[in-house]
Amino acid sequence: MTSRVLVLGGTGEARRLAAALTDAGVDVVSSLAGRVAEPVLPPGQVRIGGFGGVAGLVAWLRAAPTAAVVDATHPFAAGMTAAAAEASTVTGVPLLRLQRPGWTARPGDDWRRVDSLAEAAAAVVGFGSVFVTTGRQGLAAFADVPGHCLVRSVDPPAPPLPRRATVLLARGPFTVADERALLRRHAVEVVVTKDSGGSMTAAKLTAARELGLPVVLVRRPPLPPGIPVVPTVEAVLARIRSCAI
Ligand code: NAP
């Protein structure tokens, strides 16, 4: 079994991976960006804060010899993912990308896929009440949306916010019943989300389907080429066990 693994985190999968690796006796260092005020910490060692770009990550990897890096960041954390790929090339430290699959539409879904938050904002013009669940970053894209925006995030979002906004601070997982009640209470007409995938925040999609509401879904940024990608924690563990990372 590999001795020391850097897990780039900030997701539920990263926490589960850190727990599983720790249980297996692997020396794990989880890295968090430090965006969330009170993060749910994984077991094992944790470091918090940016590395300082590719050069910083390269220096970190060289200063603390690491057998492998698992990039388990969120599918939309494109900057960290690109930096990890570059640092792996520079240092030769093997890199594996853990990325959960995106969501798949079911019969009855009215999903409108777009490429960016700006396109998402354009797609909701004309709706009176919008549920914006794209996280606290990038809300400036919705600044000129004329409808009322219910904005949900874990920590308070930084301005600029949508002109007419109600902020709801909450951390998933959410139940379908709660999401349905929330959509009704705020008379939501359209839901905006990133294609984050996973079960933690999927209930809003089910609730939207049940209520016949359209969903504007922001496509994921592309992954850097040449990096092996696996969809589950179990697949990472199998790779590490067989030293095939
Ligand atoms: P990003 O745009 O890809 O990264 C921007 C910078 O933040 C990176 O260059 C790096 O700074 C630092 N950073 C990001 N992830 C880090 C990590 N795990 N450990 C240490 N530094 C990290 O990232 P983001 O979209 O702001 O996301 C930040 C964190 O929130 C990520 O860990 C991600 O997993 C989590 N998250 C993101 C989203 C989302 O929608 N984007 C949703 C849920 C959770 P330096 O250049 O200084 O190294």
Side-chain angles (χ1 to χ4, degrees):
M1 171 88 40
T2 310
S3 61
R4 182 185 173 95
V5 173
L6 173 66
V7 176
L8 300 172
T11 58
E13 285 88 345
R15 283 191 296 277
R16 286 205 296 121
L17 177 62
L21 289 173
T22 304
D23 284 351
V26 178
D27 185 10
V28 182
V29 181
S30 293
S31 176
L32 303 178
R35 298 274 193 284
V36 176
E38 290 178 26
V40 184
L41 294 178
Q45 290 179 62
V46 179
R47 65 162 301 287
I48 298 182
F51 292 95
V54 175
L57 180 53
V58 165
W60 193 93
L61 290 171
R62 286 184 172 149
T66 306
V69 178
V70 181
D71 173 13
T73 56
H74 190 270
F76 283 79
M80 191 66 248
T81 290
E86 227 176 305
S88 167
T89 304
V90 172
T91 59
V93 175
L95 170 66
L96 183 62
R97 170 70 172 145
L98 166 57
Q99 180 162 281
R100 60 181 99 124
W103 286 314
T104 310
R106 302 241 189 103
D109 281 326
D110 174 4
W111 287 6
R112 304 163 187 196
R113 291 190 188 263
V114 296
D115 281 322
S116 64
L117 292 176
E119 283 185 22
V124 300
V125 171
F127 289 93
S129 178
V130 185
F131 185 25
V132 181
T133 65
T134 49
R136 64 197 280 261
Q137 297 185 76
L139 287 171
F142 297 89
D144 294 327
V145 166
H148 177 266
C149 291
L150 173 64
V151 175
R152 182 168 69 193
S153 58
V154 175
D155 282 323
L161 298 181
R163 268 187 247 163
R164 298 166 55 215
T166 299
V167 174
L168 177 63
L169 300 182
R171 192 198 300 257
F174 306 102
T175 67
V176 174
D178 286 347
E179 296 290 59
R180 203 190 303 115
L182 184 72
L183 294 175
R184 283 203 171 118
R185 191 158 60 246
H186 291 269
V188 168
E189 297 169 10
V190 61
V191 176
V192 185
T193 180
K194 293 173 175 171
D195 185 9
S196 299
S199 57
M200 288 273 284
T201 56
K204 64 192 166 196
L205 301 172
T206 308
R209 184 189 315 128
E210 288 178 3
L211 296 175
L213 301 180
V215 176
V216 176
L217 205 71
V218 183
R219 285 191 188 90
R220 295 173 169 198
L223 287 169
I227 306 298
V229 183
V230 294
T232 61
V233 168
E234 292 65 33
V236 178
L237 295 174
R239 289 260 194 156
I240 289 178
R241 270 194 207 103
S242 63
C243 296
I245 193 169

